[in-house]
């Protein structure tokens, strides 16, 4: 299954002018510890909840944390098993998905990827049991 087929719904990307407070609120609302930061459809990186904890003011713009961004991502046409490897390697809760032209398409949460993997295993198990 391709990454494009399992994009997570409703998780917004951050922009450089967004505040640390907004980032924390989105992370809390969507149960993730990472969010993509984009500018004009281009992925700038991923900000982590850990990076937000030591910021002196919640009004601080995300742009001031740009040096701490992770640059992990996957291609939309990539396979979900490769994405599983990236999640594990970078210990992420969310991974940005890019087009072949490196435009930001959306993201996949670790939970959505696990759910999709579970569905595939269930289908294969059902087929094996009905044979």
């Amino acid at each position: 299954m391709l990454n494009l087929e399992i994009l997570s719904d409703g998780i917004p990307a951050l922009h450089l002018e967004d505040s640390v407070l907004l980032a924390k609120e989105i992370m809390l609302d969507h149960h993730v510890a990472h969010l993509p930061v984009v500018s004009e459809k281009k992925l700038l990186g991923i900000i982590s909840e850990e990076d937000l904890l030591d910021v002196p003011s919640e009004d601080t713009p995300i742009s001031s944390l740009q040096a701490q961004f992770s640059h992990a991502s996957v291609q939309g046409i990539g396979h979900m098993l490769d994405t599983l490897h990236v999640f594990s390697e970078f210990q992420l809760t969310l991974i940005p998905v890019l087009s072949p032209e490196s435009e930001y398409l959306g993201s996949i949460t670790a939970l959505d990827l696990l759910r999709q993997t579970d569905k595939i295993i269930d289908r294969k198990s059902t087929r094996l049991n009905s044979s």
Side-chain angles (χ1 to χ4, degrees):
M1 178 169 281
L2 299 180
N3 293 325
L4 279 174
E5 299 173 79
I6 54 173
L7 290 176
S8 299
D9 291 330
I11 299 180
L14 294 170
H15 299 91
L16 291 174
E17 65 274 7
D18 290 335
S19 69
V20 166
L21 177 61
L22 177 63
K24 287 179 178 180
E25 288 173 349
I26 293 171
M27 288 178 182
L28 184 63
D29 289 347
H30 293 281
H31 309 287
V32 294
H34 301 89
L35 286 173
V37 182
V38 300
S39 177
E40 297 180 18
K41 297 185 180 183
K42 294 292 181 187
L43 177 69
L44 301 176
I46 303 168
I47 190 77
S48 74
E49 184 177 41
E50 187 175 307
D51 295 332
L52 304 175
L53 297 178
D54 295 328
V55 177
S57 169
E58 291 190 326
D59 293 330
T60 301
I62 295 300
S63 61
S64 68
L65 303 170
Q66 203 164 356
Q68 297 168 303
F69 291 176
S70 166
H71 296 286
S73 65
V74 295
Q75 291 291 311
I77 58 173
H79 194 274
M80 65 181 270
L81 291 178
D82 295 327
T83 302
L84 188 58
H85 174 74
V86 175
F87 268 111
S88 175
E89 181 180 343
F90 290 93
Q91 299 180 340
L92 299 170
T93 58
L94 172 146
I95 186 100
V97 179
L98 305 179
S99 74
E101 297 79 29
S102 297
E103 289 188 348
Y104 175 73
L105 299 174
S107 56
I108 300 171
T109 66
L111 183 58
D112 284 343
L113 183 62
L114 288 174
R115 285 180 180 146
Q116 202 58 267
T117 304
D118 189 47
K119 286 179 187 177
I120 291 169
I121 291 169
D122 278 349
R123 278 184 264 164
K124 286 184 178 184
S125 178
T126 301
R127 277 188 252 141
L128 287 174
N129 289 335
S130 62
S131 299

